[in-house]
Amino acid sequence: MAATETVMGKGEPLLRAAGITKRFGTFAANDAVDLDLHPAQIHALLGENGAGKSTLVKIIYGLLQPDAGELRWNGTPVVLSGPAQARALGIGVVFQHFSLFENLTVAENVALGLGPGETLAQVSVRLAEVSRAYGLPLDPAREVWQLSAGERQRIEIIRALMQNPKLLILDEPTAVLTPQEADLLFTVLRRLKDEGRAILYISHKLDEVKRLCDTATILRGGKKVATCDPRQESAGSLARLMVGGNIGDVAVAPHKPAGNPRLILNDVTLLPDDLHGVRLANVSLDVRGGEIFGIAGVAGNGQDELFSVLSGERFAQGEVDVVIDGAAVGHLAITQRRRLGAAFIPEDRLGHGTAPRMKLSDNALLTGHAAGGMVQRGFIVRDAMLATVDRATKVFDVRKARRDPEAVSLSGGNLQKFVVGREILREPGVLVVSQPTWGVDAGAAATIRQALVDLAARGSAVLVISQDLVELTEIADRVAVMFAGQLSQPMAAASASRETLGLLMGGAGMELSYAGA
Amino acid sequence: MLLELIVVSVIAASTPLLLAAAGELVTERAGVLNLGVEGMMIMGAACGFAGAYFTDSTLLGALCGIAAGAALAAMFAALTLGLAVNQVATRLALTIIGIGISGLIGAGFVGERITPAPHLALPGLSALPFVGSVLFGQDAFVYCSVLLILAIRWFLYRTRPGLVLRAVGDNHASAHALGYPVLRIRLLAVLFGGGCAGLAGAYLSLAYTPFFTAGMTAGRGWIALALVVFASWRPLRLVAGAYLFGAVTILQLHAQGAGMGITPQLMAALPYLATILVLVAISGTRRMAGSTAPASLGVPFVPDR
């Protein structure tokens, strides 16, 4: 059968990338990469952050020009001078960071992705047709900033589909989706495959790739290391190809978090402070000593607001709304909360967690001045600051070119290790950390998770806000889900299923969980 | 008669603000913050006057003003779009240059007189009391400013190039990823803004006064900038803002003339106080109301290659 043939990768590829090389300065983001994409096939592009996946996609879409190598479309060599040309060939892309216009409507966004020749009214009609045909509901007249991440992705997919592409590229499409939204996406992708389209699916989530894809090409350090059938491989073997070694499991010692509550939120309600913010509604929780408390949820459901009310960047309405180790801190600023033994690690490590153009030692001072001997009689003590940098470097294996470089010069994973190390080395009694391993390679992620587990084992209360369900179920004792500014009842992480959490993340089970409480 | 006089002078005071702000609105909608409206206006005033002086034609003078404003805008574009220099610093520098050069160009014309811009005269209609002078007796600049606003509104919300321009201002990275020529669109928007500012300046020296003195724009370019924010980047609100500001300017003069017993310095500050109050009111309501500044406003775009 023809279908079997294409699945096996025989026949003429729709797109062949041969020997693609792209350098930025001396750094080779892509180094002689080969890739064949066939019709009616879902092809995975696997790799760690920085492996060169996005660079390759940009080259295929004409956004970057390769330094060497060539692209062949149906056997004919093509030079893509820009995305318009790629679209004309029949290539559509759904980007990882949405390429949408916040202040424009859905229909206007879609119209911008299509060529001229259709009026906005015609685009709206066709958009409604396509969205109905694929079961992806969308209101053409709404402005994008009002929409959820899942709805935004629908716009991108429908925009791509309305051009009737022969090749559809999706860059980390499930990163911002609930498990149920991801399942809906997979149904749509399988249908597109059955329609004979080629799909390039970029991800680092192995279980998804094994469920969905027919072929996988794995990149590491800009080079292609293998092309294989992911269904024939184990998650472990794929991970080894991606990382180039084994990843240690996090060792969780059996323990009973029986300490007193060290961090308490009492019925916190907080109005948003900007247009696109979320209102926190009656959020209550308590984290005991020795416990890791996980907060799951799709980004933009109030996690940022929750973090800022915990850290003191925003004050709570009542003084007793936030309690750290028995002290009512709702109206205390971040430095005063640090003096009580709390530490805070925000999601954005560059700009929020560190000042990018300042040295690591200065960044150590920025959070460390509250406690610890970095300031004496109003003067800073450089030796103490450098000692902190050295300890964080040693304990957390921070790789850097010099002893004390600027924060911006570190890679994402190494900077995150430094930021986490800087706070954990102060032995905080209460640690609040947001997206601890976001955008960090697997090795660094394992180090960071282990450090969080060890800190809790020493009696601290740890609150982890994360979008990564695997991470939360691995390290947390209890998990609650944040949706639209509300927090679900906490449940034991060991017994929380992916389905339950997913429903809560989509808001479906929110009423249920309150009714059951 | 007094009311008629007031309304006519309000229109005259509002028109240069409206012209300059209309151009800046388009520029900012494309994501470029051109703080140099004042400099482009004064260049337009000087060159417009010079053009009209030599050709004895208001139209050619106005075209000279537009060209002068656009030329200064082109300098700005070359530095900020081409070389990605900081937009704020560049614009402040070019404003000072504009004020200086315009003084140089205009030095020989100070005290000279030209034929003022002709006013519309429709038989019968223009002779009507009140309505005649207000609606049918204005000069071409006034009608031009109203048409310009309507045209901009139509362009931004009803045409595809207008949609693309708004998209570039909202998210230049996405617009680039979709294949739109971000820098070219911004260049055109900056030149349009410069032309409008030049026209506004030419209005001052050709119709409003009509003569040239150094520094005759007297801060109107800065007010035009504030008006764009005031109007939350919407063309029709810009008309309301410009006329409100023009009205306060004129009314305080009449109030002074009527001897209201308030220090003239305080009265002269009224328009500026009104602007600040309205801006505060807007920022208070905007949080809940939607429609904010173009998201890429003032952020340089550098495509990676």
Side-chain angles (χ1 to χ4, degrees):
Chain A
M1 272 172 68
T4 330
E5 239 179 50
T6 51
V7 167
M8 295 309 291
K10 285 176 194 155
E12 184 79 1
L14 177 69
L15 179 96
R16 164 166 286 177
I20 297 291
T21 299
K22 178 70 188 175
R23 291 175 197 286
F24 296 103
T26 57
F27 169 70
N30 279 173
D31 189 356
V33 175
D34 300 322
L35 182 71
D36 280 2
L37 301 176
H38 294 266
Q41 228 187 53
I42 304 183
H43 192 123
L45 188 58
L46 270 169
E48 296 253 282
N49 294 291
K53 302 181 305 253
S54 293
T55 304
L56 186 58
V57 169
K58 284 182 179 169
I59 288 171
I60 294 175
Y61 197 49
L63 278 170
L64 290 175
Q65 313 304 326
D67 296 324
E70 70 166 4
L71 296 174
R72 282 173 177 267
W73 184 258
N74 280 325
T76 318
V78 286
V79 175
L80 298 175
S81 59
Q85 208 185 339
R87 276 205 305 275
L89 284 179
I91 301 175
V93 179
V94 175
F95 285 102
Q96 176 183 10
H97 301 291
F98 298 133
S99 59
L100 294 175
F101 305 95
E102 297 262 326
N103 289 317
L104 304 185
T105 67
V106 171
E108 285 174 335
N109 267 281
V110 171
L112 282 165
L114 306 173
E118 268 183 301
T119 67
L120 205 56
Q122 288 168 326
V123 169
S124 296
V125 171
R126 211 150 71 80
L127 193 162
E129 281 168 12
V130 174
S131 80
R132 214 174 316 115
Y134 285 95
L136 297 166
L138 267 182
D139 177 358
R142 289 187 74 187
E143 290 188 356
V144 169
W145 62 266
Q146 302 170 308
L147 304 181
S148 74
E151 288 172 303
R152 287 168 191 227
Q153 190 179 56
R154 270 178 230 164
I155 304 175
E156 297 248 8
I157 292 173
I158 288 174
R159 179 161 77 184
L161 289 181
M162 283 175 70
Q163 299 163 51
N164 197 21
K166 297 189 183 72
L167 167 63
L168 182 64
I169 304 174
L170 297 105
D171 194 356
E172 308 254 359
T174 57
V176 292
L177 300 185
T178 65
Q180 279 80 2
E181 283 175 323
D183 288 342
L184 174 65
L185 174 70
F186 292 168
T187 311
V188 172
L189 291 183
R190 289 199 184 96
R191 190 167 149 195
L192 294 172
K193 169 186 155 182
D194 293 342
E195 290 172 358
R197 301 178 209 272
I199 293 169
L200 182 61
Y201 186 91
I202 295 143
S203 182
H204 60 239
K205 294 187 181 170
L206 302 172
D207 54 329
E208 284 178 0
V209 168
K210 279 176 65 62
R211 272 168 67 202
L212 185 71
C213 300
D214 307 301
T215 317
T217 292
I218 296 151
L219 297 183
R220 189 195 327 141
K223 291 195 176 76
K224 183 184 122 172
V225 291
T227 296
C228 59
D229 182 344
R231 292 163 301 190
Q232 309 294 326
E233 301 283 330
S234 71
S237 64
L238 288 174
R240 272 192 294 280
L241 285 169
M242 259 169 65
V243 183
N246 286 313
I247 305 166
D249 288 333
V250 176
V252 185
H255 67 291
K256 230 159 93 191
N260 292 321
R262 301 191 72 171
L263 172 66
I264 304 172
L265 285 186
N266 289 316
D267 209 22
V268 171
T269 295
L270 192 70
L271 294 175
D273 66 347
D274 67 13
L275 187 62
H276 305 322
V278 175
R279 173 179 178 271
L280 290 184
N282 311 101
V283 173
S284 295
L285 60 82
D286 62 278
V287 190
R288 284 167 287 177
E291 181 184 42
I292 296 184
F293 189 102
I295 292 182
V298 177
N301 273 295
Q303 291 96 327
D304 293 349
E305 287 78 3
L306 179 70
F307 183 87
S308 60
V309 83
L310 282 165
S311 69
E313 283 163 70
R314 291 189 64 195
F315 287 166
Q317 285 180 341
E319 189 135 44
V320 296
D321 284 7
V322 185
V323 177
I324 291 175
D325 273 338
V329 299
H331 292 170
L332 294 188
I334 187 163
T335 300
Q336 292 161 301
R337 296 188 196 195
R338 287 196 185 116
R339 291 210 172 104
L340 290 168
F344 310 97
I345 304 173
E347 171 182 347
D348 175 18
R349 53 186 160 255
L350 204 60
H352 194 177
T354 60
R357 302 309 301 262
M358 290 174 80
K359 291 174 174 176
L360 291 185
S361 57
D362 294 332
N363 275 298
L365 176 73
L366 286 177
T367 67
H369 70 92
M374 290 193 201
V375 182
Q376 277 174 10
R377 293 187 205 93
F379 290 94
I380 54 174
V381 185
R382 287 221 76 86
D383 288 346
M385 289 153 59
L386 281 169
T388 304
V389 174
D390 291 343
R391 274 174 67 210
T393 305
K394 193 159 160 249
V395 177
F396 285 86
D397 185 27
V398 180
R399 314 260 173 92
K400 50 192 167 59
R402 282 176 289 124
R403 185 185 182 195
D404 192 16
E406 287 180 351
V408 70
S409 71
L410 268 63
S411 76
N414 280 308
L415 184 59
Q416 184 71 6
K417 284 193 281 189
F418 168 76
V419 171
V420 170
R422 173 182 73 180
E423 303 303 329
I424 285 186
L425 288 175
R426 288 169 43 213
E427 284 296 321
V430 171
L431 177 68
V432 178
V433 51
S434 181
Q435 316 297 352
T437 60
W438 180 78
V440 162
D441 64 68
T447 309
I448 290 168
R449 287 175 193 159
Q450 186 67 54
L452 295 175
V453 169
D454 294 346
L455 180 70
R458 294 196 292 272
S460 299
V462 179
L463 181 73
V464 179
I465 302 170
S466 178
Q467 287 194 69
D468 188 340
L469 289 185
V470 177
E471 169 171 275
L472 288 179
T473 45
E474 185 180 43
I475 64 172
D477 299 292
R478 286 187 298 157
V479 181
V481 177
M482 193 132 216
F483 177 77
Q486 292 179 306
L487 194 67
S488 76
Q489 289 296 316
M491 58 199 104
S495 63
S497 72
R498 181 175 169 274
E499 282 67 32
T500 316
L501 293 173
L503 282 171
L504 288 166
M505 283 163 71
M510 229 50 189
E511 300 84 350
L512 280 179
S513 74
Y514 279 108
Chain B
M1 256 341 258
L2 178 66
L3 183 65
E4 184 178 337
L5 186 70
I6 289 177
V7 172
V8 169
S9 48
V10 165
I11 291 174
S14 307
T15 298
L17 299 174
L18 190 55
L19 284 170
E24 180 65 12
L25 184 140
V26 172
T27 305
E28 293 194 12
R29 276 286 188 156
V32 184
L33 184 61
N34 191 340
L35 291 176
V37 180
E38 180 81 3
M40 299 186 299
M41 268 181 93
I42 191 75
M43 280 296 283
C47 296
F49 190 88
Y53 183 82
F54 289 121
T55 63
D56 203 26
S57 154
T58 304
L59 177 66
L60 291 178
L63 289 177
C64 285
I66 292 173
L72 204 58
M75 253 168 90
F76 170 68
L79 288 168
T80 59
L81 301 180
L83 302 173
V85 179
N86 181 297
Q87 293 186 7
V88 173
T90 307
R91 214 43 211 161
L92 292 176
L94 285 184
T95 291
I96 297 166
I97 291 177
I99 292 172
I101 295 181
S102 68
L104 186 69
I105 293 174
F109 299 103
V110 174
E112 298 287 350
R113 294 205 70 90
I114 52 160
T115 322
H119 285 242
L120 183 72
L122 291 175
L125 285 177
S126 300
L128 289 173
F130 191 74
V131 185
S133 62
V134 171
L135 286 184
F136 303 109
Q138 302 290 347
D139 55 61
F141 290 95
V142 174
Y143 300 113
C144 183
S145 70
V146 176
L147 287 179
L148 186 67
I149 286 293
L150 293 176
I152 287 173
R153 181 163 184 268
W154 175 80
F155 171 78
L156 284 179
Y157 295 106
R158 292 281 176 270
T159 72
R160 188 176 174 84
L163 174 61
V164 173
L165 183 132
R166 283 189 289 140
V168 166
D170 197 39
N171 186 342
H172 54 215
S174 298
H176 175 65
L178 287 173
Y180 291 106
V182 173
L183 292 179
R184 195 189 316 160
I185 291 165
R186 288 197 165 161
L187 170 67
L188 292 175
V190 167
L191 291 180
F192 178 81
C196 287
L199 182 65
Y203 172 79
L204 288 176
S205 64
L206 298 181
Y208 192 68
T209 41
F211 51 78
F212 178 79
T213 56
M216 69 184 297
T217 45
R220 286 185 180 85
W222 300 109
I223 291 161
L225 276 172
L227 280 174
V228 176
V229 183
F230 180 113
S232 29
W233 293 268
R234 306 259 170 118
L236 290 187
R237 293 188 198 172
L238 200 61
V239 181
Y243 276 77
L244 175 69
F245 193 88
V248 178
T249 311
I250 296 302
L251 287 177
Q252 58 93 8
L253 285 176
H254 283 274
Q256 283 186 45
M260 295 220 351
I262 302 173
T263 51
Q265 286 83 357
L266 191 62
M267 294 298 280
L270 262 186
Y272 307 93
L273 283 173
T275 309
I276 291 172
L277 287 178
V278 175
L279 284 177
V280 169
I282 286 173
S283 86
T285 54
R286 173 144 348 105
R287 284 183 183 181
M288 303 299 144
S291 176
T292 48
S296 309
L297 186 59
V299 185
F301 174 69
V302 186
D304 50 4
R305 274 290 149 197

